[in-house]
Amino acid sequence: MKKFLSIVCVIMAMLALTACGKFTCDGCGEEKSGSGKKITIMGETGTVCDDCYDMLKQLGY
């Protein structure tokens, strides 16, 4: 029983560590990890990385 619980705990820990997804930034086109930020420009919604998000905010979008 202890061995079974240990295996379940290890599997749960592995799933928790791999929960962060990857996405492709619509600004720079690079594949990034994390959740990204949603931004809408001229009616089009996209997902951008933190760097592109900061740049777009400086430009006033």
Side-chain angles (χ1 to χ4, degrees):
M1 185 67 172
K2 286 184 182 181
K3 191 173 187 179
F4 175 74
L5 288 176
S6 297
I7 292 172
V8 170
C9 287
V10 168
I11 291 172
M12 294 302 289
M14 288 173 55
L15 289 175
L17 292 174
T18 59
C20 296
K22 290 188 176 184
F23 69 96
T24 302
C25 176
D26 292 329
C28 61
E30 294 182 17
E31 187 172 317
K32 304 281 185 161
S33 62
S35 60
K37 301 211 183 323
K38 298 282 185 191
I39 191 162
T40 302
I41 299 175
M42 298 174 71
E44 296 290 325
T45 302
T47 304
V48 294
C49 63
D50 291 335
D51 295 333
C52 291
Y53 182 79
D54 292 338
M55 182 183 65
L56 289 169
K57 286 298 175 187
Q58 287 178 353
L59 293 173
Y61 287 103

